[in-house]
Amino acid sequence: MEKFDTLKSTNNARSGLKWQVVKKFIISEVSSGKYRPGDVLPSENYLTDKVGVSRNTIRQAFEELEKEGYIYRVRGKGTFVSRPAPVKNTNKSSIFGLVVPEIRRSLYPSLVQGFGQEQAGKSQQTLICQTNNDVHQQGNIILQLLHCGVNGLAIVPVTIGQTPVFQIEMVLDSGIPVVTCHRAIPGADVPVVTWNRELAGQMACREFLKLGHRSIAYYGVHRYVVTEAHVAGMRQTLRQAGLSLPDTHIVWDPPSDTSEQDRCKQEQFLKLLNSENPPTAVFCSDDNEAERIYWLLTDKGMKVPDDLSIISFGNSLRDTVFREHLTSIVVNEHEQGTLAARILHEMTTGKRPINDSEVFVMDLNVYRGITLGTPAFKKA
């Protein structure tokens, strides 16, 4: 730590408040490039011994440096040099990007609305981009947003494939904050706004079990981290009740991206309904998949919930006639978008470090529609 030997001699030679001397010295070290963004600074205890000033002096210098955005602290990890803040253009409003896999599905429209309204309230513009659930297209969009000079980025990662961490790191390296929604990106130290996906599966099964269902199925858009968590939660709750969720009662492949793939999955589900141990209830990964199952049953002359009960997962805003009647485990997606925008604002204004990794967990609730009832054998 030769850098701070110089500080010790400077401290002994100069007059003025000692904490100001420490502060100015650290600023000069950062400005000269001796400490780069992301570097960890020595601990307060080390500096107290090395520099020859009290711990309160070091602490006061650090507090002032943190207020001015030169450093940030991570509990249990240390004090770090901040990345340079994005250059602020006072002649026009800030621009923030929101990247989602698509706009159509039940959760995304409210997320977009919540995010956009919060940004508009701060006179900030929003660029909405959809990746079509393609990780390569997602990378190209991020590059385009960087070229446009966005001040912050919120992203719902693709559900097919794994988002490479470098897509996020290149944004952070440009001094631009990032928030992920719905799920984290492994290796990326950024805030996450999400919900407990296993809890969603647990809550659905509890509702089924209350009414006497013992053979329960799962129908997912496709197999990925969210649907796997749904299944894990369902299995945990069923196991506690002395029941199981066999693999034969899980339908989640192939991905529902084409009408042909949808048809294959629906045929698979019909075979399950005609098996020796047919389910009396199904938990669907989202409102879109629940709607597919509902109309499939109707087309085959079956009734909901008399022949099969349905619980879905979706947005707390039940914005269609079908969703008004669908029993669902719900999350407030509008509030999730609002929260993501607020977190970005905190990071761009220095109130939150750019590489903060706090996880914000949204509440889940049960929306009671008419698609949940007792199993047929209970009614007989």
Side-chain angles (χ1 to χ4, degrees):
M1 292 291 179
E2 293 86 356
K3 302 172 185 178
F4 287 95
D5 289 334
T6 305
L7 173 57
K8 187 170 184 177
S9 61
T10 301
N11 182 47
N12 292 333
R14 295 180 59 182
S15 61
L17 295 175
K18 291 183 178 181
W19 70 264
Q20 291 179 333
V21 176
V22 174
K23 173 189 168 185
K24 290 178 181 178
F25 183 83
I26 293 177
I27 290 175
S28 69
E29 294 292 278
V30 172
S31 300
S32 68
K34 292 181 180 178
Y35 279 94
R36 296 175 296 175
D39 284 353
V40 63
L41 292 174
S43 68
E44 293 177 2
N45 287 337
Y46 178 89
L47 291 176
T48 296
D49 179 65
K50 190 72 176 177
V51 181
V53 296
S54 70
R55 186 171 181 178
N56 286 338
T57 298
I58 299 295
R59 184 171 297 167
Q60 187 172 3
F62 276 12
E63 286 176 355
E64 292 298 318
L65 288 166
E66 187 174 20
K67 287 179 184 178
E68 295 178 17
Y70 287 100
I71 64 173
Y72 63 93
R73 305 181 188 194
V74 179
R75 183 175 296 178
K77 294 185 179 180
T79 302
F80 298 82
V81 178
S82 297
R83 289 183 171 89
V87 177
K88 296 181 180 178
N89 188 337
T90 57
N91 297 321
K92 63 179 181 178
S93 61
S94 300
I95 301 174
F96 291 79
L98 174 59
V99 179
V100 295
E102 59 170 295
I103 300 294
R104 299 171 300 163
R105 297 193 81 87
S106 62
L107 291 175
Y108 300 131
S110 284
L111 176 75
V112 170
Q113 186 180 46
F115 186 88
Q117 287 182 352
E118 179 67 17
Q119 297 290 30
K122 294 182 171 63
S123 298
Q124 297 166 341
Q125 301 178 31
T126 303
L127 291 177
I128 310 298
C129 307
Q130 56 179 345
T131 63
N132 295 318
N133 223 6
D134 184 311
V135 69
H136 301 295
Q137 187 170 336
Q138 177 179 273
N140 289 334
I141 287 172
I142 291 173
L143 286 173
Q144 292 171 31
L145 290 173
L146 285 174
H147 181 72
C148 290
V150 293
N151 300 80
L153 175 66
I155 179 171
V156 179
V158 295
T159 64
I160 299 177
Q162 178 67 56
T163 294
V165 70
F166 73 79
Q167 288 188 359
I168 303 305
E169 288 178 339
M170 66 181 176
V171 182
L172 295 175
D173 288 343
S174 299
I176 299 170
V178 179
V179 174
T180 65
C181 300
H182 291 198
R183 49 196 165 272
I185 296 174
D189 289 328
V190 297
V192 183
V193 186
T194 186
W195 61 87
N196 188 327
R197 297 181 288 270
E198 288 193 12
L199 178 60
Q202 293 168 5
M203 291 171 68
C205 275
R206 288 170 193 158
E207 294 298 314
F208 288 139
L209 292 172
K210 284 180 195 176
L211 295 180
H213 292 278
R214 294 296 180 266
S215 180
I216 300 169
Y218 181 73
Y219 191 92
V221 58
H222 61 83
R223 182 171 185 170
Y224 70 114
V225 61
V226 171
T227 54
E228 288 176 341
H230 284 168
V231 167
M234 293 175 68
R235 281 179 161 156
Q236 180 183 12
T237 299
L238 290 172
R239 187 164 52 248
Q240 291 171 351
L243 302 170
S244 66
L245 176 63
D247 290 342
T248 55
H249 280 47
I250 302 172
V251 178
W252 55 12
D253 283 318
S256 297
D257 289 335
T258 68
S259 57
E260 176 62 23
Q261 290 169 333
D262 287 337
R263 186 185 62 79
C264 290
K265 286 172 63 176
Q266 290 167 15
E267 288 180 353
Q268 184 181 350
F269 191 71
L270 285 174
K271 289 181 181 178
L272 175 60
L273 293 178
N274 293 320
S275 66
E276 293 183 359
N277 181 32
T280 61
V282 60
F283 177 42
C284 297
S285 63
D286 61 37
D287 291 341
N288 296 73
E289 301 308 303
E291 189 170 4
R292 297 181 199 279
I293 294 298
Y294 181 88
W295 290 113
L296 174 67
L297 297 173
T298 301
D299 183 60
K300 298 302 178 181
M302 301 176 68
K303 294 183 179 181
V304 177
D306 294 346
D307 297 311
L308 186 75
S309 285
I310 299 175
I311 295 181
S312 176
F313 180 85
N315 180 27
S316 57
L317 174 63
R318 313 310 287 166
D319 55 353
T320 69
V321 173
F322 175 73
R323 289 169 188 163
E324 286 179 358
H325 294 85
L326 176 64
T327 300
S328 293
I329 310 301
V330 295
V331 62
N332 190 330
E333 194 72 359
H334 186 281
E335 179 59 29
Q336 185 167 183
T338 300
L339 180 56
R342 289 175 182 168
I343 295 168
L344 280 179
H345 180 71
E346 289 177 0
M347 290 194 286
T348 57
T349 56
K351 295 178 181 178
R352 179 183 295 272
I354 193 173
N355 64 344
D356 179 40
S357 55
E358 186 172 355
V359 178
F360 299 83
V361 181
M362 305 292 294
D363 291 334
L364 297 179
N365 295 287
V366 180
Y367 176 87
R368 302 188 185 281
I370 61 174
T371 60
L372 174 63
T374 57
F377 69 85
K378 284 279 186 179
K379 298 173 184 175

